[in-house]
Amino acid sequence: KGSLGDCPVDLSPIADHDSPVSKVQDEVLFTFDDHQSGSAFRNVAPQPNRIRAVRSPKAMFAVYMDETGEKDPQFELYDMERDPNQMDNLVDRDTGGAIAAGDFPLLEQMRSALRRRSRRAGADLPPGF
């Protein structure tokens, strides 16, 4: 067994090849600080360049942050069932608000998942997020 903060995660279903269970969690947190972008130089990628994202089979939601606070965060939300190639961002890039009212529940679900997963992992999020 492993754990994520105070939430134990039973990883044994992955090792049991006879088990029909193929996953141990509903979503995964992805964080990347793109300030060096594979280079010895800092801030190669322009701000905001700190990524915090959560991915589930249903959707992917990402926040791009500037650790200095000089640049506002940017947002992306994709419905992985309707748009598996992530071509149609469902939120306004600058505000993070849902473009279509019908996507608001998905946005709230993914924002909540990102908050929850980030808190467990100790990953920072933009102020007021």
Side-chain angles (χ1 to χ4, degrees):
K1 291 191 176 193
S3 71
L4 289 173
D6 59 354
C7 179
V9 177
D10 182 359
L11 301 177
S12 62
I14 294 174
D16 182 4
H17 298 293
D18 296 326
S19 172
V21 176
S22 62
K23 66 179 185 175
V24 294
Q25 57 189 14
D26 294 328
E27 69 260 338
V28 65
L29 174 69
F30 170 80
T31 67
F32 186 69
D33 291 347
D34 198 20
H35 64 283
Q36 287 187 278
S37 192
S39 168
F41 300 101
R42 294 188 57 81
N43 290 323
V44 174
Q47 295 286 3
N49 58 19
R50 305 309 201 258
I51 305 166
R52 303 296 180 260
V54 66
R55 171 85 155 65
S56 73
K58 172 84 176 130
M60 193 283 299
F61 178 65
V63 178
Y64 297 78
M65 313 178 320
D66 173 2
E67 70 173 356
T68 68
E70 292 175 19
K71 299 279 185 177
D72 290 333
Q74 295 178 352
F75 304 89
E76 293 179 315
L77 173 66
Y78 300 98
D79 183 318
M80 300 307 293
E81 294 172 350
R82 292 183 297 182
D83 182 19
N85 294 324
Q86 300 179 11
M87 302 295 289
D88 185 24
N89 187 1
L90 301 176
V91 296
D92 180 274
R93 183 193 76 165
D94 297 321
T95 67
I99 294 171
D103 292 319
F104 184 77
L106 179 62
L107 171 60
E108 286 304 301
Q109 175 187 357
M110 297 306 288
R111 284 177 66 93
S112 177
L114 182 58
R115 282 188 199 108
R116 183 177 64 253
R117 291 282 176 178
S118 295
R119 187 172 41 252
R120 286 183 191 162
D124 54 338
L125 289 170
F129 187 86

